[in-house]
Amino acid sequence: MKVSPSILAADFLHLEEQIEMLNESKASMIHIDVMDGVFVPNISIGFPVIEAVSRVAKKPLDVHLMTVDPQRYVNRLRDVGATFMNVHVEACTHLDRTIHEIKEAGMKAAVTLNPSTPLVMLEEILEEIDMVLLMTVNPGFGGQSFIKYSVSKIRNLKNKIRERGARALIEVDGGINSMTGRLVAEAGCDVIVAGSWVFNSNDPKGAIESLASL
Ligand code: DX5
Ligand code: ZN
């Protein structure tokens, strides 16, 4: 299992140390949550912090934009060092265009679905996507409880990707701990995002390793 720890739950006063800890850990990438206070009812971090993280990080940056009009930020995100650009389907009027702009900018295109958004929204463009991020909480805050109906959604997406021979990875984000991690792993996800469970642990590297071994 690939693990993408979410730094939303990190200690921002010691961010450099926290990124170095992730560099030494079994994390495959580093998840960065950008919130604009409009698409979601919270504001988190933006370009200057992403740029600072990219100077220390030795793992690809997996940037999750919870903003309206995310297509406005394609080039800026590339310039601050993002590898994956995750855009919400609910925030993109011209999703096909946005996906192509992300790829033309040299990043990997990931498309995110809120818990209540059906998989059919990806029906026409599945083959174009590098990663599908399924939210397993309503976006906006760390530390929320996993929404259980997400398990069958992961399973259905896995089947659809297999049937169509698509290459998209399935990433899951929200409320992941050792128990829900096992559920989403069994359902077929490829990448687990975990924030509070990793950073609130006494042994964050051990927590990452336990998810990586699922
Ligand atoms: C929620 C964010 C998540 C969040 C996950 O809007 O997209 O990435 O950091 O936090 P936990 O793991 O605490 O649910
Ligand atoms: Zn996220």
Side-chain angles (χ1 to χ4, degrees), residues 101-166:
E101 287 177 358
I102 294 170
K103 294 206 274 194
E104 276 160 27
M107 292 181 288
K108 293 198 186 291
V111 177
T112 312
L113 266 55
N114 278 335
S116 68
T117 302
L119 294 175
V120 71
M121 296 303 286
L122 303 178
E123 194 64 25
E124 318 303 332
I125 51 156
L126 192 57
E127 281 79 3
E128 310 293 320
I129 304 173
D130 295 302
M131 186 160 77
V132 179
L133 169 52
L134 295 181
M135 291 307 300
T136 45
V137 297
N138 289 298
F141 303 93
Q144 303 180 84
S145 300
F146 180 83
I147 295 175
K148 294 201 178 61
Y149 64 67
S150 312
V151 175
S152 59
K153 194 175 179 185
I154 298 165
R155 206 172 287 125
N156 292 342
L157 177 58
K158 187 71 173 186
N159 289 338
K160 202 180 274 282
I161 287 172
R162 277 210 190 111
E163 276 164 28
R164 291 178 47 169

Side-chain angles (χ1 to χ4, degrees), residues 1-4 25-28 177-178 181-182 185-186 189-190 192 197 205-214:
M1 179 64 61
K2 293 184 168 62
V3 185
S4 187
S25 76
K26 292 266 195 300
S28 296
N177 53 39
S178 54
R182 191 170 300 281
E186 281 166 9
C189 90
D190 305 292
I192 282 179
W197 193 69
K205 276 194 241 174
I208 293 167
E209 191 164 352
S210 72
L211 294 175
S213 68
L214 287 173

Side-chain angles (χ1 to χ4, degrees), residues 27 66 70 76 98 162 169 184 197:
M66 285 159 274
R76 292 216 43 207
T98 303
R162 277 210 190 111
L169 296 172
V184 299
W197 193 69

